[in-house]
Amino acid sequence: MRNKELSNIFERIADALELKGENPFKINAYKKASRIFKELPEDIEVYYKNNTIQEIKGIGEGIAKKVKEYIETGKMHKYDEAMKGIKPEVLEMLNIPQLGPKTLKIFKDKFGVRNLQDLEIALNARELEEFPGMGKKKIENIRKGIELYRQLKGKGRRYLIGEVYPIVNRINSLLKGIGAKHRIEICGSFRRMKETVGDIDILVEGEDEDIIKKFVQFPLFERTLAAGKTKASVIEDATKIQIDLRLVPSISFGSALQYFTGSKPHNMRVREIAKSRGLKLNEYGLFKGEKQIAGTNEEGVYNALGMDWIPPEMREDRGEVELSLAHKIPRLVETSDIKGDLHIHSTYSDGNLTIEEIAEIAREMGYEYIGISDHSISAKYARGLNIETLKRKNCEIDELNKKFKGKPYILKSAEVDILSNGTLDYPDEILKSLDIVIAAVHQGFKKNVTKRIMEAMENPYVDIIAHPTGRLIGKREGYDVDIEKVINYAGETNTILEINAYYERLDLNDINARIAGEKGVMLAINTDTHSKFMFNNIIFGVGIAKRAGLVKDNILNTYPLNKMLKQLKRNG
DNA sequence: GCCGTTTTCGGCCCGACTGTTTTCAGTCG
């Protein structure tokens, strides 16, 4: 799979050309190519073999040729040419906030800056201020940018959506406290439920500039980057995440929401459509000449373009624009469709809630059923259950089921390890005695993982594979696993794959979940809960499912209890 | 470099904020 390599190469070409002051549209074409290869679900070599590289939208003759060259020779002439005279350290400096390609070029060409140390020296040079366009404040802003860059490892730093969630809640209530009475919406990648978020974009309906003034005074901010009449940018103290707030009049709120939700590629497509119909779309509305024809709400904007409203999670230019034009946007799965959580740990292993406490929380949440899936023998680090303890636990579940009278119904389950040697951590007769079994890799991440998972799927009592790739976002790459093979084999063996909703996992991710859905593989959205507050992580898993374009029927735990159990291969 | 129900050439999304300007360039999203 060389998709990622190609994505990186084209990104660096784009950066290098930017520094050289090339035609911005050409640069954009390379950036677009970089994104396309990053998100392409299929291996580029398949396109190469079928001679269909150029059929990918956004890839034309020029880039197709370069891709071919790279696949055949392992080199790309254009890349070498673009990088000529540019050190990687210089490209890296493009990640410094307030320092764009134009300014960096000046430092590079006029001051011989080749790395961050050089840059800091140059910033102190007396003759700098005499340069046209270089003033005291600009220099100071670049200094601040460097400071921020050091703290954040560059503006490319992204935050887990689950980390950002509490900050967003806090700001939301603070805004209500200062009299933001009308619509308040968080847009951007947060609204699209991306697994990571680069910054927080907030829209507030209204025209009272006092809101901006009060907003920048919130105690949780470290500094204000900008504050004008309609827009403010601040840095949050604890995380250093940037938060942008925009004040938008009612008449434009829908178009602003559409605009600031993105994604950028999605918006560009929608604007193209507007333009092709002789209309103009911006954050203030949809216009025919001078006349505004939509903008107070999002639906109105899409409808006026002959499109159906598109759920934010789908807005990545991955085919949703076409679906919308054809009025074929599906009704995606919602958190309210979830009837139970099938991956929960109790105090029997490494959870910190008793089964009874779990059942009470589940009842409050309105769940119909829960699966208590504690770890198996070999998971020593997580106090995995031996067979005797597992039996005792099952007796307790029987008792509690009498007590709770099926509200919720408690399922006997286990998260059973797929051992390094490929066998399962409990014998078949134990697996058979449970209601539902989840199998997972927790050891031997590089040892025949694909084969081991496939063997586990052959077991008639393995119903679900938990976190199938094992990645931890920003922390761990994941198993050495051929996930496409696993997805295909799940289809053949009628095994369910998990979308693990814990925000550090989100595994399967959106792209793999989409592939699974397209192949008719059933998925289960589970939280892997270990403590009370983790139940709420279900929203992140549902977000991934929506990003994958999945509907209720794709998701095992949207079915009522009996129908859900019938989906399991042990019962089919 | 990509792309085409106005085009195979001439467009390419569009605006806010800042700073250094006196009409605009750079950066950002």
Side-chain angles (χ1 to χ4, degrees), chain A residues 327-476:
Chain A
H327 306 296
K328 285 181 179 166
I329 294 283
R331 188 269 185 203
L332 301 180
V333 61
E334 297 290 343
T335 301
S336 56
D337 295 326
I338 300 293
K339 295 216 160 49
D341 196 335
L342 296 169
H343 188 164
I344 301 172
H345 295 269
S346 74
T347 46
Y348 273 92
S349 63
D350 59 346
N352 68 8
L353 295 166
T354 65
I355 300 176
E356 186 164 3
E357 287 167 336
I358 292 167
E360 271 162 12
I361 295 167
R363 185 170 55 189
E364 278 169 33
M365 292 178 75
Y367 279 163
E368 210 177 292
Y369 48 82
I370 45 175
I372 309 297
S373 51
D374 283 303
H375 288 283
S376 56
I377 310 169
S378 296
K380 302 288 184 202
Y381 62 93
R383 302 198 296 128
L385 278 59
N386 62 31
I387 290 172
E388 208 150 294
T389 317
L390 179 64
K391 285 181 175 166
R392 190 151 50 82
K393 175 186 148 186
N394 288 341
C395 289
E396 186 184 334
I397 290 178
D398 284 334
E399 290 304 311
L400 287 169
N401 268 331
K402 281 180 206 156
K403 182 175 172 185
F404 281 86
K405 295 181 178 133
K407 283 181 181 174
Y409 186 77
I410 307 166
L411 294 155
K412 295 168 192 157
S413 182
E415 181 180 12
V416 56
D417 268 26
I418 299 170
L419 302 176
S420 295
N421 65 13
T423 61
L424 294 166
D425 206 14
Y426 287 133
D428 277 6
E429 67 262 27
I430 295 295
L431 300 181
K432 188 180 175 182
S433 73
L434 298 168
D435 294 313
I436 183 166
V437 167
I438 302 173
V441 172
H442 290 111
Q443 50 176 275
F445 291 180
K446 298 204 182 288
K447 283 173 77 180
N448 293 324
V449 180
T450 309
K451 184 161 168 272
R452 282 158 60 203
I453 293 180
M454 286 169 74
E455 280 168 10
M457 290 195 288
E458 283 167 10
N459 187 304
Y461 307 112
V462 168
D463 303 294
I464 300 177
I465 301 293
H467 41 75
T469 75
R471 64 103 176 242
L472 295 178
I473 302 169
K475 277 193 184 166
R476 190 172 81 195

